[in-house]
């Protein structure tokens, strides 16, 4: 966590035990420290592995998106991308997120569950902490008169603060302006005199939804297109990997 917010492999030794080595209850602990693998870092690792291990008949196209979709008489999908390329596909795997165009508009599958559990603001900020004043951790819980928030550490200087808000009594424009958010970040950092930069302020809605079916007309939904979970514990990504 002190280097890049990921786990660090430790050399096994007698100290890596939960009890003294001569105890009958001695249990060796993991040789890996607890760490946080941020999603954007994990994605880069996955993309790199995909590119390294693809067969000669496969390709991955960054910056391309399907803009038109229709079905042939043989029930294959005819896909046209924003660059004009046309693909004929016997199946489509739709991993296009919670607001999946494939699910909502093309094959029309409904979501079941609770769409709104809580409204939150995500504040992405970076800190110039060359003196390591902030204790290394993955999560920080902030309770103060200025802000109530959870702060997630994505890297040595990279953080996301999640702040609950309550429409219609609060609004993004009035209650989460740049000036007010900067005050909240400063309150979260406490009395430490640290330079920081707010990079984005974005609202999101926590929900709990699942698609009525994961497949229709040879279109298969995966990830958030199939199921949306509250993020506590990372169950969405875990379930997606499963």
């Amino acid at each position: 966590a002190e280097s890049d917010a990921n786990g660090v492999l430790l050399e096994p030794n007698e100290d890596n035990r939960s009890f003294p080595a001569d105890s009958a209850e001695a249990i060796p602990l993991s040789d890996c420290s607890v760490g946080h693998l941020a999603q954007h870092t994990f994605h880069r690792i996955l993309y790199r592995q995909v590119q390294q291990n693809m067969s000669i008949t496969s390709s991955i196209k960054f910056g391309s998106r399907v803009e038109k979709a229709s079905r042939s008489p043989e029930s294959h999908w005819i896909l046209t991308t924003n660059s004009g390329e046309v693909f004929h596909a016997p199946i489509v795997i739709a991993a296009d997120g919670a607001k999946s165009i494939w699910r909502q508009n093309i094959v029309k599958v409904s979501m079941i569950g609770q769409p709104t559990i809580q409204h939150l603001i995500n504040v992405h900020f970076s800190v110039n902490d060359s003196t390591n004043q902030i204790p290394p951790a993955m999560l920080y819980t902030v309770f103060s008169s200025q802000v109530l928030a959870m702060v997630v550490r994505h890297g040595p200087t990279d953080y996301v603060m999640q702040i609950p808000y309550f429409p219609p009594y609060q609004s993004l424009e009035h209650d989460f302006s740049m000036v007010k958010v900067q005050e909240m970040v400063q309150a979260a950092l406490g009395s430490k005199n640290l330079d920081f930069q707010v990079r984005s302020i974005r609202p999101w809605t926590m929900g709990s939804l699942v698609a009525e079916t994961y497949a229709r007309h040879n279109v298969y939904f995966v990830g958030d297109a199939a199921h949306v979970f509250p993020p506590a514990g990372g169950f969405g990504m875990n379930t997606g990997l499963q």
Side-chain angles (χ1 to χ4, degrees):
E2 293 175 336
S3 54
D4 64 356
N6 297 327
V8 179
L9 187 65
L10 302 176
E11 291 295 329
N13 58 57
E14 288 300 317
D15 293 333
N16 293 345
R17 295 175 180 271
S18 58
F19 295 94
D22 57 355
S23 167
E25 300 176 284
I27 302 172
L29 301 181
S30 170
D31 289 336
C32 289
S33 65
V34 174
H36 174 47
L37 184 60
Q39 183 168 328
H40 62 280
T41 303
F42 184 49
H43 281 173
R44 285 198 295 269
I45 295 171
L46 289 180
Y47 284 138
R48 186 165 60 246
Q49 291 298 316
V50 166
Q51 289 177 309
Q52 291 175 354
N53 294 288
M54 283 192 332
S55 69
I56 197 169
T57 59
S58 304
S59 64
I60 182 169
K61 296 181 179 293
F62 294 98
S64 293
R65 66 179 180 274
V66 173
E67 292 194 332
K68 294 181 182 178
S70 60
R71 300 192 77 190
S72 70
E74 300 80 26
S75 295
H76 282 199
W77 285 99
I78 303 171
L79 312 175
T80 305
T81 71
N82 57 318
S83 60
E85 291 182 285
V86 178
F87 296 92
H88 292 255
I91 66 169
V92 171
I93 298 175
D96 53 343
K99 297 181 179 179
S100 169
I101 299 299
W102 278 90
R103 191 194 66 241
Q104 291 179 340
N105 299 343
I106 298 177
V107 297
K108 300 187 186 305
V109 170
S110 299
M111 296 289 269
I112 304 169
Q114 193 172 350
T116 305
I117 296 176
Q118 188 176 17
H119 295 279
L120 299 108
I121 300 290
N122 266 9
V123 177
H124 176 203
F125 68 95
S126 57
V127 176
N128 181 17
D129 183 20
S130 58
T131 58
N132 294 319
Q133 293 186 59
I134 302 176
M138 189 188 93
L139 287 174
Y140 307 82
T141 305
V142 180
F143 290 95
S144 79
S145 58
Q146 293 96 336
V147 64
L148 167 66
M150 294 294 296
V151 181
V152 185
R153 187 186 194 205
H154 287 301
T157 61
D158 202 31
Y159 299 83
V160 171
M161 183 162 66
Q162 298 186 349
I163 311 166
Y165 82 108
F166 304 92
Y169 308 104
Q170 290 179 302
S171 68
L172 180 66
E173 296 77 14
H174 182 267
D175 297 282
F176 297 93
S177 64
M178 177 60 73
V179 172
K180 290 186 177 180
V181 166
Q182 287 174 333
E183 292 173 353
M184 294 176 189
V185 172
Q186 184 59 65
L189 293 173
S191 60
K192 297 178 177 65
N193 186 23
L194 298 173
D195 293 329
F196 65 87
Q197 180 181 3
V198 175
R199 300 190 174 276
S200 66
I201 306 169
R202 295 176 179 169
W204 67 284
T205 302
M206 181 190 296
S208 180
L209 298 165
V210 63
E212 284 185 317
T213 175
Y214 284 6
R216 178 171 290 175
H217 303 313
N218 285 348
V219 177
Y220 298 86
F221 307 112
V222 297
D224 283 1
H227 39 64
V228 178
F229 297 122
F235 297 126
M237 176 171 279
N238 291 340
T239 303
L241 290 173
Q242 291 168 9

